[in-house]
């Protein structure tokens, strides 16, 4: 599977301590370690570091919804299992285990790229069941669903549930081929092997600091830091 790194500097290996130190520097500016401040009554350095580490993935999830997709690792999933329903002009592709967010998906013949993955509970998703109202090659639709995928284990078959991208649609009876399939994988917990785009490093540190202040019931300070994170990328 190919990995598409963006043309920005990407830290091949980020020391966990380096990121935590940056977050704490941001928090220090708000006076969390000032003995005369009530920002973190009863807290200590080790406790704050633990909170920073615990909110890292959630802060990253929030960042995906705020910052440009080019700030994140982007991977190709066009080699995933494709199941075509040629008579109906539809089908689905099994999503990777580490799938988090869709960047783009395009079947050959589509006039536009799909960039939104609609949940199966969405009314638009239900419309796709009707061949007369579903998306087509002019206005295609991508739906996040869950299916039992057939897998062989020894001499028998199992059907584990997996997330899939259902696509609507291509001309009935035509060959179905993927032209483009890119996604953002879910990041792992903060470690010395964490990889971050250089442009994401500082704004993500602000989001982490913001979430820690929320934990300590300081919503005003937390909101200021969240706003700062979004201002950095403008």
């Amino acid at each position: 599977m190919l990995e598409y790194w963006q043309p920005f500097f990407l830290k091949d290996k980020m020391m966990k301590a380096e990121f935590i130190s940056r977050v704490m520097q941001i928090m220090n500016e708000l006076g969390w370690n000032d003995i005369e401040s009530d920002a973190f009554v009863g807290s200590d350095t080790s406790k704050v570091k633990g909170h920073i580490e615990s909110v890292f993935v959630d802060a990253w999830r929030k960042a995906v919804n705020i910052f440009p997709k080019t700030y994140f690792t982007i991977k190709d999933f066009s080699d995933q299992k494709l199941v075509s329903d040629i008579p109906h002009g539809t089908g689905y592709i099994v999503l990777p285990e580490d799938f988090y967010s869709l960047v783009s998906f395009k079947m050959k013949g589509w006039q536009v790229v799909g960039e939104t993955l609609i949940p199966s509970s969405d009314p638009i998703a239900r419309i796709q069941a009707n061949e007369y109202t579903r998306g087509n090659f002019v206005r295609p639709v991508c739906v996040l669903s869950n299916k039992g995928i057939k897998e062989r284990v020894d001499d028998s078959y199992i059907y584990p549930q997996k997330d899939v991208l259902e696509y609507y649609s291509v001309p009935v009876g035509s060959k179905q081929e993927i032209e483009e399939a890119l996604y953002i994988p879910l990041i792992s917990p903060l470690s010395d092997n964490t990889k971050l785009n250089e442009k994401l490093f500082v704004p993500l540190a602000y989001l982490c600091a913001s979430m820690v202040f929320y934990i300590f019931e300081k919503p005003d300070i937390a909101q200021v830091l969240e706003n700062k994170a979004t201002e950095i990328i403008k």
Side-chain angles (χ1 to χ4, degrees):
M1 181 176 292
L2 299 176
E3 293 191 356
Y4 287 75
W5 302 119
Q6 303 308 311
F8 304 120
F9 174 74
L10 185 78
K11 291 175 175 291
D12 291 329
K13 182 176 289 188
M14 182 189 73
M15 297 297 291
K16 180 169 70 173
E18 178 186 357
F19 184 79
I20 291 177
S21 176
R22 186 68 181 90
V23 176
M24 294 188 70
Q25 179 184 348
I26 292 168
M27 296 173 66
N28 287 345
E29 295 171 359
L30 275 298
W32 80 267
N33 62 344
D34 185 342
I35 60 174
E36 296 182 357
S37 170
D38 65 349
F40 284 83
V41 174
S43 66
D44 56 32
T45 299
S46 61
K47 185 176 182 179
V48 175
K49 287 181 178 179
H51 283 304
I52 293 171
E53 188 172 352
S54 70
V55 303
F56 177 77
V57 174
D58 286 338
W60 180 90
R61 289 175 185 267
K62 178 177 286 190
V64 173
N65 295 325
I66 298 175
F67 306 144
K69 291 180 178 180
T70 53
Y71 280 32
F72 302 87
T73 298
I74 295 177
K75 297 172 70 175
D76 180 276
F77 69 103
S78 60
D79 61 351
Q80 289 286 111
K81 182 177 182 179
L82 175 69
V83 179
S84 302
D85 185 349
I86 294 177
H88 293 93
T90 63
Y92 63 86
I93 180 171
V94 179
L95 294 173
E97 294 293 333
D98 64 349
F99 181 92
Y100 182 73
S101 180
L102 181 68
V103 174
S104 61
F105 182 81
K106 187 174 187 291
M107 296 296 291
K108 285 188 177 179
W110 282 8
Q111 292 188 6
V112 297
V113 174
E115 297 180 337
T116 302
L117 191 53
I118 301 170
S120 58
S121 59
D122 191 291
I124 295 177
R126 291 194 289 272
I127 292 173
Q128 308 314 306
N130 187 322
E131 62 180 307
Y132 300 106
T133 59
R134 67 173 49 136
N136 53 37
F137 65 94
V138 178
R139 290 186 296 275
V141 175
C142 299
V143 175
L144 175 63
S145 187
N146 191 270
K147 294 181 180 294
I149 306 301
K150 184 178 182 180
E151 292 183 1
R152 185 182 181 92
V153 177
D154 297 326
D155 295 326
S156 60
Y157 290 97
I158 60 173
Y159 295 82
Q161 293 293 312
K162 294 181 180 291
D163 287 336
V164 303
L165 181 155
E166 295 184 292
Y167 54 85
Y168 302 90
S169 57
V170 296
V172 172
S174 65
K175 183 179 181 180
Q176 298 187 9
E177 295 182 78
I178 297 171
E179 183 175 315
E180 180 177 307
L182 302 173
Y183 75 106
I184 296 174
L186 178 65
I187 200 166
S188 298
L190 182 61
S191 74
D192 288 342
N193 294 315
T194 298
K195 297 179 180 180
L196 287 180
N197 185 308
E198 185 182 35
K199 288 201 169 189
L200 181 61
F201 189 89
V202 174
L204 183 58
Y206 271 93
L207 284 182
C208 281
S210 170
M211 295 184 80
V212 174
F213 273 108
Y214 273 121
I215 290 173
F216 282 86
E217 300 181 353
K218 298 294 177 179
D220 293 341
I221 297 177
Q223 189 59 57
V224 168
L225 291 174
E226 185 172 332
N227 293 342
K228 179 64 175 177
T230 58
E231 290 172 3
I232 293 173
I233 68 170
K234 292 181 180 179

